[in-house]
Structures are given as structure tokens and as C-alpha cells.
């Protein structure tokens, strides 16, 4: 996949791993659209990457505001008429989330509305633009916590991480990957779920053991896969993740 003129949209790219994914794509010569619901932070992130020599533009996009999603798609259509890479990075956690016996159903709804429904809405809005690209890549940021196998394995280090809303949201994102990859089989669009690892960001309360730079490497790798790209995979830094 030649990257001289590639156009990428990264959602939630104003900070954390999203910003680092955008930075690494920009360093690879990609024009990066910084998707952010916050105008000030998104504009600042785009300016930062531009000051570092990359090509970056801010585009307002709120996963909970479908009109902003449609407006973003229309802006990309008007200015570029295609999209080569979509990185569905934006996501939330909620302090009221917890085990199935006590986690707040309202918190679970908020998380799923953003992490899954919002991601689905963005993907659907951008698909016509991705179809206009010679080859296109969709990277869905997932988590090992979205693996049913991992959640059911007492020997897994993640076994005790019972966050019904967050874990379910990432399992749903994985279902999106599986079904969309099957639907797009035979096209030039590859879609994969990528778990970046346990990264030190606001989302994890900075308790991870990987830096944002380290965590961004695998999503960027899958965003830049060549013409022989795999599709329908669930991967993490250590290799393939069981669904």
C-alpha cells in the first residue's frame, strides 16, 4: 500500500493512543484527519502534528452525535472524495461500570452507545468513501477484554477484569470486525480488530505498562498493510488473540 497520498481518519485522535496513531501515520506520509468531538483539543492536536512536519487536519466527529458523523463524511467526500484508512480508536470507560452483579446498566449503555454503536455509525458513514479508494483498511481498536475466551479462562491475567459494559462493548466491536470482513470479502477493503496492549493512557488511569508510542505500532501496522492484507483478524502485540 503506497502511502504518499493516503488519507486516514483516526477517531478520538486528540490525545493518548489515538494521537500517537495519528502521529505515526503522519510520519509515514499519510494525510491524517484528526477526529475529535472537542474543537479546541482536536485543532491543537492537528497543529501539533503539523508543527512536527506531518500533514494533519482537524475534523469534528462525535461518536454520540450522528449528525456530526454524517457531516464529517460529507466534508471528506467534498475535499478528498475517498478515504484510504479508517482507524476506529475513540472509546470510553465509565466509573460506574463493574461486574455483572453490580455494574450500572446505565453505565453499560453509555459505554456501548459510544464504543460499539458510535463505531458502527462511523464505519457505515465512511464505507462509501473507503470503497472509492484503490485499497482501504479499517482498524477497529479492540481489547483482550473483548475476548470471550480470555474472559472465561481462569489462567488469564485478565480473568478478574470484570467490567461488563466495557468488555461487552469490545466483544461487540469484534463482532463488527468478523461480520464486516465477511461482507467485504472479495473487495479491496481489509478490516481487523487490533488490541494495542495495556497502554498508559487516560483510559487506563495511566496504569498500563506500554507507552502510547509502543501501543500505536500495531494499529499503524494494520492500517498500512499492503495489497496482500489479511482481513477478519483479532491481534495483539503477542500475536493472534482468540475470539
Amino acid at each position: 500500500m503506497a502511502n504518499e497520498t493516503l488519507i486516514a481518519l483516526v477517531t478520538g485522535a486528540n490525545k493518548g493512543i489515538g494521537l500517537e496513531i495519528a502521529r505515526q501515520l503522519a510520519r509515514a506520509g499519510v494525510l491524517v484527519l484528526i477526529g475529535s468531538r472537542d474543537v479546541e483539543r482536536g485543532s491543537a492536536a492537528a497543529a501539533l502534528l503539523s508543527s512536527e512536519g506531518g500533514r494533519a487536519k482537524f475534523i469534528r466527529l462525535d461518536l454520540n452525535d450522528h449528525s456530526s458523523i454524517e457531516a464529517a463524511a460529507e466534508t471528506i467526500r467534498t475535499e478528498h472524495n475517498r478515504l484510504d484508512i479508517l482507524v476506529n480508536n475513540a472509546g470510553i470507560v465509565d466509573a460506574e461500570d463493574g461486574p455483572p452483579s453490580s455494574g450500572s446498566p446505565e453505565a453499560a449503555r453509555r459505554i456501548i452507545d459510544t464504543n460499539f454503536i458510535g463505531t458502527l455509525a462511523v464505519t457505515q458513514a465512511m464505507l462509501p468513501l473507503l470503497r472509492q479508494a484503490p485499497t482501504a483498511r479499517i482498524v477497529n481498536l479492540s481489547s483482550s477484554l473483548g475476548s470471550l475466551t480470555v474472559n472465561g479462562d481462569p489462567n488469564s491475567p485478565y480473568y478478574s477484569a470484570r467490567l461488563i459494559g466495557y468488555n461487552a462493548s469490545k466483544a461487540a466491536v469484534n463482532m463488527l470486525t468478523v461480520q464486516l470482513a465477511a461482507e467485504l470479502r472479495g473487495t479491496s477493503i481489509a478490516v481487523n480488530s487490533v488490541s494495542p496492549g495495556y497502554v498508559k493512557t487516560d483510559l487506563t488511569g495511566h496504569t498500563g505498562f506500554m507507552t502510547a508510542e509502543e501501543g500505536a505500532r500495531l494499529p499503524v501496522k494494520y492500517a498500512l498493510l499492503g495489497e496482500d492484507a489479511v482481513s477478519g483478524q483479532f491481534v495483539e502485540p503477542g500475536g493472534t488473540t482468540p475470539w
Side-chain angles (χ1 to χ4, degrees), residues 174-224:
N174 287 344
M175 181 61 75
L176 171 61
T177 295
V178 169
Q179 291 205 354
L180 188 58
E183 187 177 357
L184 295 175
R185 186 174 291 117
T187 75
S188 62
I189 304 175
V191 51
N192 293 287
S193 281
V194 178
S195 172
Y198 194 24
V199 181
K200 298 175 184 176
T201 65
D202 290 349
L203 197 73
T204 63
H206 298 277
T207 60
F209 53 80
M210 297 172 67
T211 65
E213 179 181 2
E214 292 167 336
R217 289 173 186 163
L218 194 61
V220 168
K221 174 183 175 180
Y222 273 77
L224 296 175

Side-chain angles (χ1 to χ4, degrees), residues 36-57:
S36 172
R37 62 185 177 182
D38 187 291
V39 175
E40 184 176 345
R41 291 179 180 178
S43 299
L48 173 63
L49 297 191
S50 296
S51 73
E52 295 173 354
R55 290 184 292 170
K57 295 181 180 179

Side-chain angles (χ1 to χ4, degrees), residues 9 69-70 73 76-77 81-84 86 88 119-133 136-138 176 179-181 183-184 187-191:
L9 169 63
I69 295 171
E70 293 299 331
I76 297 170
R77 183 178 297 109
N81 200 39
R82 78 175 201 280
L83 186 65
D84 301 285
L86 170 61
N88 284 313
T119 294
L120 175 63
V122 170
T123 302
Q124 289 181 347
M126 300 303 161
L127 263 175
L129 294 164
L130 291 159
R131 292 183 187 275
Q132 293 298 313
R137 306 290 175 254
I138 301 172
L176 171 61
Q179 291 205 354
L180 188 58
E183 187 177 357
L184 295 175
T187 75
S188 62
I189 304 175
V191 51

Side-chain angles (χ1 to χ4, degrees), residues 87-124:
V87 180
N88 284 313
N89 164 76
I92 65 168
V93 294
D94 194 298
E96 296 181 13
D97 195 12
S101 61
S102 58
S104 162
E106 290 74 22
R109 182 178 292 111
R110 289 190 293 268
I111 295 167
I112 290 171
D113 277 350
T114 299
N115 294 5
F116 174 59
I117 302 299
T119 294
L120 175 63
V122 170
T123 302
Q124 289 181 347

